C-alpha cells in the first residue's frame, strides 16, 4: 500500500553507486516555507521502504509493474557520508508544486572543487562553468541576445547580488539590472513581487547559476510566481513567453491529475519556445508538468570524470524521475513501446548531489557557497543549451529536436532509478531510456531545429 505523500523520503547519497537511503519526513507548513530536514543516517544496509506513489494509469508495461522508486535507493555509503535536504517540502495537495533542489548538508568537503575559479584559493566545491562546458562539449561563447527565463515561486530578495558573486567568482561577464542582462518580475510581469521564501530562494539561486554556467552571454529573466500552485506557476510561464523568452526552465513538479490536459493548453503549448521541466527527484514514477507533451522533460545523471576521450561519463542518477504519464498523449516524436501515453524523460544532465554543482545563496540561513543536485540543476542547464543552439523555428515544438539528432547526445547506458520488471523505463539502456531520455548534451546540435 503506497505511503502518503507526506512521508516521501530524503536522500543520503552513496557516491559510488546509484543507491540512496530513504527516510521519512514530516510535512511542513503550506506556502513553500517548510523544508524537509535530514535525520541522522541509518546504518549501511538499511532496508528500503516507501512503495512508489506514481500513477499507473495510462501505462502498458511501465508504471503498473514496477516496485518502488525507493527500491533503488537503499543503503548510504560510509565513503563520503553525504546527506541532503530538500529545499522545498514535498507537494501534498492537488495542483500544488514543489521545487526540485537538493542541498548537500554534510560531506561537502569530500567533493571535488570546481575547475578554473578566478580565485583558486577559495574555489567552491561542486562543478562550475568550465566543468559543465567540458562535460557537454559546449562553447564558451554563444547565446548573445538570447533570453532564458526561470520560473519559480516566491521571491528571492538576494537573487541579483548572489548571482553577481557566482559570476565574478568564475570570471563570467556581469549580468545585472543595470546592464540590461538580468531582469526580475512578478507573476504579472511587473515589479510587484511575491513574498520571500528561503527554500524557493535556494531553487532560484541554483537556476540562475546554472544558466550563467551554461550560457554566460545569455540574458536572464526571473519570473516569480505568487505561490507554488500550478495555476500561478503556469501564469508565470505565460508571462515569460509574453516578455519574449524563447527558453523557459521550470524546476518544480507535483502529482499528476485529470486537470493536466487543461494545464497543458493553458500554460505549456507555446510553439517556437523551448520549455524544460525537471523530471523529479524521487526515482521511478511520473510527475507533472514533466508529463506534459509540450515540454522537454529533463532527467538526471551522475556525472564523473574519467580517462575516456570525452573525459567524463554519465550514469542514471537513482533519484531521477521517469515513467508513463497518466493523462498526456504520446507526442508523435516518441516511439518507445512500453508507455501507451507520454514517456518521461526526453534528455538529461547532471543531477546527482554526489556529483553536484556549486551554487551561491545567502538568503535565509544560507551562508554562501553550497553544493546542490536534483533535476532542478538539469532543467536550467538544458534550457540554456537550447539557447546556445539558436532560436527555435516558428511553429516548432523544441521537445522534438533531440529525437531528430540522437547521434549528437551522450548515450547513458548504466544505472537505475527503481524497479520496473527490467524495462528501459527505469534503467540506463542503449538508445532511449526513461531516467536519462536520449542522453546528455554532446554539443548543441541535438537542440537546434
Amino acid at each position: 500500500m503506497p505511503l502518503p505523500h507526506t512521508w516521501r523520503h530524503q536522500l543520503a547519497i552513496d557516491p559510488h553507486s546509484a543507491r540512496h537511503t530513504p527516510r521519512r519526513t514530516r510535512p511542513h507548513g503550506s506556502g513553500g516555507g517548510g523544508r524537509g530536514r535530514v535525520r541522522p543516517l541509518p546504518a549501511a544496509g538499511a532496508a528500503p521502504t516507501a512503495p512508489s506513489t506514481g500513477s499507473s494509469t495510462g501505462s502498458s508495461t511501465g508504471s503498473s509493474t514496477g516496485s518502488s522508486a525507493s527500491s533503488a535507493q537503499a543503503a548510504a555509503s560510509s565513503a563520503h557520508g553525504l546527506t541532503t535536504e530538500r529545499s522545498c517540502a514535498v507537494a501534498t495537495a492537488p495542483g500544488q508544486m514543489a521545487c526540485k533542489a537538493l542541498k548537500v548538508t554534510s560531506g561537502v568537503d569530500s567533493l571535488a572543487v570546481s575547475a578554473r575559479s578566478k580565485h583558486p584559493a577559495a574555489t567552491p566545491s561542486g562543478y562550475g562553468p568550465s566543468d559543465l562546458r567540458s562535460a557537454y562539449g559546449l562553447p564558451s561563447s554563444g547565446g548573445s541576445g538570447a533570453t532564458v527565463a526561470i520560473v519559480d515561486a516566491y521571491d528571492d530578495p538576494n537573487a541579483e547580488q548572489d548571482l553577481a558573486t557566482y559570476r565574478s567568482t568564475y570570471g563570467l561577464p556581469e549580468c545585472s539590472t543595470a546592464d540590461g542582462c538580468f531582469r526580475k518580475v512578478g507573476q504579472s510581469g511587473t515589479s510587484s513581487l511575491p513574498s520571500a521564501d528561503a527554500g524557493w530562494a535556494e531553487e532560484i539561486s541554483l537556476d540562475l547559476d546554472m544558466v550563467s554556467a551554461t550560457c554566460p552571454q545569455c540574458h536572464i529573466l526571473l519570473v516569480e510566481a505568487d505561490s507554488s500552485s500550478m495555476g500561478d506557476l503556469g501564469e508565470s510561464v505565460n508571462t515569460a513567453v509574453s516578455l519574449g523568452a524563447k527558453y523557459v526552465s521550470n524546476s518544480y513538479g507535483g502529482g499528476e491529475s485529470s486537470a493536466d490536459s487543461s494545464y497543458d493548453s493553458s500554460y505549456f503549448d507555446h510553439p517556437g519556445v523551448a520549455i524544460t521541466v525537471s523530471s523529479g527527484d524521487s526515482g521511478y514514477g511520473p510527475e507533472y508538468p514533466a508529463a506534459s507533451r509540450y515540454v522537454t522533460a529533463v532527467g538526471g545523471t551522475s556525472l564523473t570524470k574519467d580517462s575516456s576521450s570525452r573525459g567524463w561519463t554519465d550514469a542514471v542518477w537513482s533519484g531521477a524521475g521517469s515513467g508513463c504519464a497518466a493523462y498526456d498523449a504520446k507526442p508523435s516524436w516518441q516511439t518507445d513501446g512500453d508507455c501507451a501515453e507520454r514517456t518521461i524523460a526526453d534528455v538529461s544532465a547532471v543531477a546527482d548531489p554526489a556529483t553536484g554543482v556549486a551554487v551561491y545563496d545567502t538568503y535565509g540561513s544560507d551562508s554562501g557557497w553550497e553544493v546542490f543536485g536534483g533535476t532542478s540543476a538539469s532543467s536550467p542547464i538544458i534550457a540554456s543549451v537550447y539557447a546556445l543552439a539558436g532560436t527555435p523555428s516558428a511553429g516548432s515544438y523544441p521537445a522534438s529536436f533531440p529525437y531528430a539528432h540522437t547521434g549528437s547526445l551522450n548515450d547513458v547506458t548504466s544505472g537505475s532509478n527503481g524497479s520496473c520488471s527490467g524495462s528501459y523505463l527505469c534503467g540506463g539502456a542503449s538508445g532511449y531510456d526513461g531516467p536519462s531520455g536520449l542522453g546528455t548534451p554532446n554539443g548543441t546540435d541535438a537542440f537546434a531545429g
Side-chain angles (χ1 to χ4, degrees), residues 8-9 11 18 20 22 48-54 66-74 281-285 318-322 416-419 426:
R8 297 286 286 276
H9 56 272
L11 305 177
H20 299 258
T49 55
S52 173
T53 55
S67 64
S68 79
S70 298
S71 295
Q73 299 166 338
D281 295 343
S282 297
Y284 180 61
S318 62
S322 68
S416 172
N417 70 342
S419 177
C426 62

Side-chain angles (χ1 to χ4, degrees), residues 22-50:
R23 61 189 33 102
R24 300 180 298 182
T25 58
R26 294 183 293 117
H28 296 267
S30 60
R35 291 192 247 172
R37 297 293 176 183
V38 176
R39 297 180 182 180
L41 296 180
T49 55

Side-chain angles (χ1 to χ4, degrees), residues 4-235:
H5 285 286
T6 52
W7 286 40
R8 297 286 286 276
H9 56 272
Q10 299 294 335
L11 305 177
I13 308 162
D14 177 354
H16 297 300
S17 67
R19 296 170 68 86
H20 299 258
T21 301
R23 61 189 33 102
R24 300 180 298 182
T25 58
R26 294 183 293 117
H28 296 267
S30 60
R35 291 192 247 172
R37 297 293 176 183
V38 176
R39 297 180 182 180
L41 296 180
T49 55
S52 173
T53 55
S55 169
S56 61
T57 307
S59 64
S60 48
T61 65
S63 299
S64 61
T65 60
S67 64
S68 79
S70 298
S71 295
Q73 299 166 338
S77 168
S78 60
H80 290 283
L82 300 184
T83 59
T84 66
E85 69 177 20
R86 297 183 186 275
S87 295
C88 302
V90 173
T92 60
Q96 292 296 314
M97 301 290 119
C99 70
K100 297 300 168 183
L102 291 175
K103 180 171 69 174
V104 177
T105 54
S106 67
V108 170
D109 291 343
S110 68
L111 301 177
V113 297
S114 306
R116 298 183 184 178
S117 167
K118 190 175 179 181
H119 309 289
T123 301
S125 296
Y127 292 141
S130 65
D131 299 304
L132 297 178
R133 291 196 298 268
S134 170
Y136 301 131
L138 302 176
S140 58
S141 61
S144 179
T147 296
V148 178
I150 296 299
V151 172
D152 282 314
Y154 305 104
D155 180 38
D156 176 3
N158 296 355
E160 185 170 0
Q161 67 188 53
D162 287 349
L163 176 64
T165 298
Y166 180 89
R167 295 178 72 101
S168 65
T169 298
Y170 291 108
L172 304 179
E174 180 182 352
C175 187
S176 65
T177 301
D179 66 12
C181 174
F182 176 75
R183 183 181 180 188
K184 180 169 77 169
V185 299
Q187 180 175 310
S188 63
T190 69
S191 59
S192 177
L193 302 176
S195 59
D197 181 272
W200 279 91
E202 292 180 347
E203 176 63 62
I204 289 170
S205 292
L206 169 59
D207 292 343
L208 297 179
D209 292 354
M210 291 307 96
V211 175
S212 298
T214 310
C215 186
Q217 295 184 4
C218 284
H219 288 193
I220 305 175
L221 170 65
L222 171 60
V223 185
E224 297 180 330
D226 292 341
S227 77
S228 58
S229 73
M230 187 64 256
D232 284 347
L233 288 161
E235 289 293 344

